[in-house]
């Protein structure tokens, strides 16, 4: 049986005009402090390494990134088949008292939420907030968090224990994050002037995204056995 209880959060694309006005004010201060280099030297600047670009995509642009601002896009290059991860929901019903001869029934369950996760090629977690556009994986082109509730009445026969379970679908995407970094003319008469963007990349990025697919189940084992499905 399939149930879909997605809570979808639309991808947030920053309002470029407002962001650039705010960035210009901050950049003006950085220019006076000598923190910015000319746009022609940008490609050789260590500030464009993956760690700093990740800060830009995490919403920490400006003073925390050496004056770098920009928009981030995840370019999907490949996507795996859907996999289903199973978990137990709520406390199990156990009928393990010595000498018991009757079955026990009880309603059990819980609610769980699953958010997308991001990692770089070395397995390092990336913190990506809602400053990201996703291109290529159209089916999952929004930032996603799914919430699933699983409740049911289950029966444990004598010498047995039973738990309700739910399988949640996930897809794995690989690609790169393109950061369209704002380029400024720092020699303009009335302060920094935005002249365009240039692309920099965080390569070998892995995204795990909940698909919205769920499947109900139960896990029943003997009292002296471990459940097959993790909690």
């Amino acid at each position: 049986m399939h149930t879909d209880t997605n809570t979808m959060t639309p991808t947030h694309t920053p309002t470029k005009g407002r962001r650039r006005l705010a960035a210009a004010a901050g950049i003006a201060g950085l220019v006076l402090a000598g923190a910015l280099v000319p746009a022609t030297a940008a490609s050789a600047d260590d500030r464009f390494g993956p760690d700093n670009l990740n800060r830009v995509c995490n919403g920490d642009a400006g003073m925390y990134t050496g004056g770098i601002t920009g928009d981030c896009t995840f370019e999907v290059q490949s996507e795996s088949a859907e996999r289903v991860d199973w978990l137990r929901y709520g406390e199990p019903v156990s009928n393990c008292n010595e000498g018991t001869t009757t079955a026990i029934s009880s309603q059990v369950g819980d609610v769980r939420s699953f958010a997308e996760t991001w990692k770089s090629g070395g397995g390092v977690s990336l913190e990506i907030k809602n400053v990201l556009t996703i291109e290529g994986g159209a089916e999952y082109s929004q930032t996603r968090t799914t919430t699933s509730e699983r409740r049911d009445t289950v029966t444990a026969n004598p010498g047995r224990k039973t738990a309700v379970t739910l399988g949640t679908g996930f897809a794995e995407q690989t690609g790169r994050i393109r950061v369209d970094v704002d380029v400024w003319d720092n020699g303009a008469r009335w302060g920094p002037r935005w002249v365009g963007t240039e692309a920099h990349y965080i390569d070998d990025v892995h995204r795990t995204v909940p698909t919205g697919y769920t499947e109900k189940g139960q896990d029943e084992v003997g009292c002296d056995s471990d459940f097959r499905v993790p909690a």
Side-chain angles (χ1 to χ4, degrees):
M1 178 176 179
H2 296 240
T3 58
D4 192 341
T5 54
N6 283 343
T7 300
M8 301 293 293
T9 304
T11 297
H12 170 67
T13 302
T15 303
K16 294 180 175 63
R18 283 198 303 247
R19 176 175 57 73
R20 286 175 183 144
L21 284 173
I27 286 170
L30 290 170
V31 169
L32 292 174
L36 292 185
V37 297
T40 54
S43 60
D45 199 308
D46 288 341
R47 295 176 305 145
F48 296 97
D51 290 343
N52 208 36
L53 292 176
N54 181 51
R55 295 187 191 100
V56 175
C57 297
N58 197 30
D60 295 332
M63 292 293 292
Y64 298 101
T65 59
I68 297 174
T69 59
D71 294 322
C72 301
T73 300
F74 179 52
E75 299 176 345
V76 179
Q77 297 170 335
S78 65
E79 183 175 294
S80 71
E82 183 180 56
R83 74 167 197 266
V84 178
D85 292 349
W86 288 87
L87 292 172
R88 301 199 308 268
Y89 278 59
E91 294 296 323
V93 177
S94 298
N95 194 358
C96 298
N97 290 334
E98 187 175 353
T100 186
T101 58
T102 58
I104 297 175
S105 296
S106 182
Q107 186 180 71
V108 294
D110 201 356
V111 177
R112 291 177 182 263
S113 293
F114 303 91
E116 61 184 13
T117 59
W118 300 83
K119 291 184 178 180
S120 66
V124 178
S125 296
L126 300 176
E127 292 187 25
I128 303 295
K129 294 183 179 177
N130 291 342
V131 295
L132 193 72
T133 300
I134 298 171
E135 293 180 352
E139 187 174 356
Y140 313 118
S141 60
Q142 295 175 302
T143 56
R144 297 170 66 93
T145 298
T146 62
T147 299
S148 300
E149 182 174 8
R150 172 76 170 104
R151 298 187 189 279
D152 208 346
T153 298
V154 296
T155 298
N157 292 313
R160 308 288 290 177
K161 53 187 180 183
T162 307
V164 296
T165 62
L166 191 73
T168 301
F170 293 90
E172 303 281 347
Q173 296 177 327
T174 59
R176 64 181 183 177
I177 295 176
R178 186 184 76 245
V179 185
D180 295 315
V181 173
D182 295 317
V183 178
W184 301 84
D185 176 5
N186 301 326
R189 181 176 180 183
W190 302 110
R193 180 176 64 89
W194 184 82
V195 296
T197 64
E198 63 179 29
H200 296 265
Y201 295 92
I202 305 173
D203 292 314
D204 198 16
V205 174
H206 302 259
R207 178 193 185 209
T208 301
V209 54
T211 64
Y213 171 81
T214 59
E215 182 178 343
K216 295 179 180 179
Q218 293 187 7
D219 190 8
E220 180 183 0
V221 296
C223 289
D224 58 350
S225 299
D226 294 330
F227 283 109
R228 292 160 291 191
V229 177

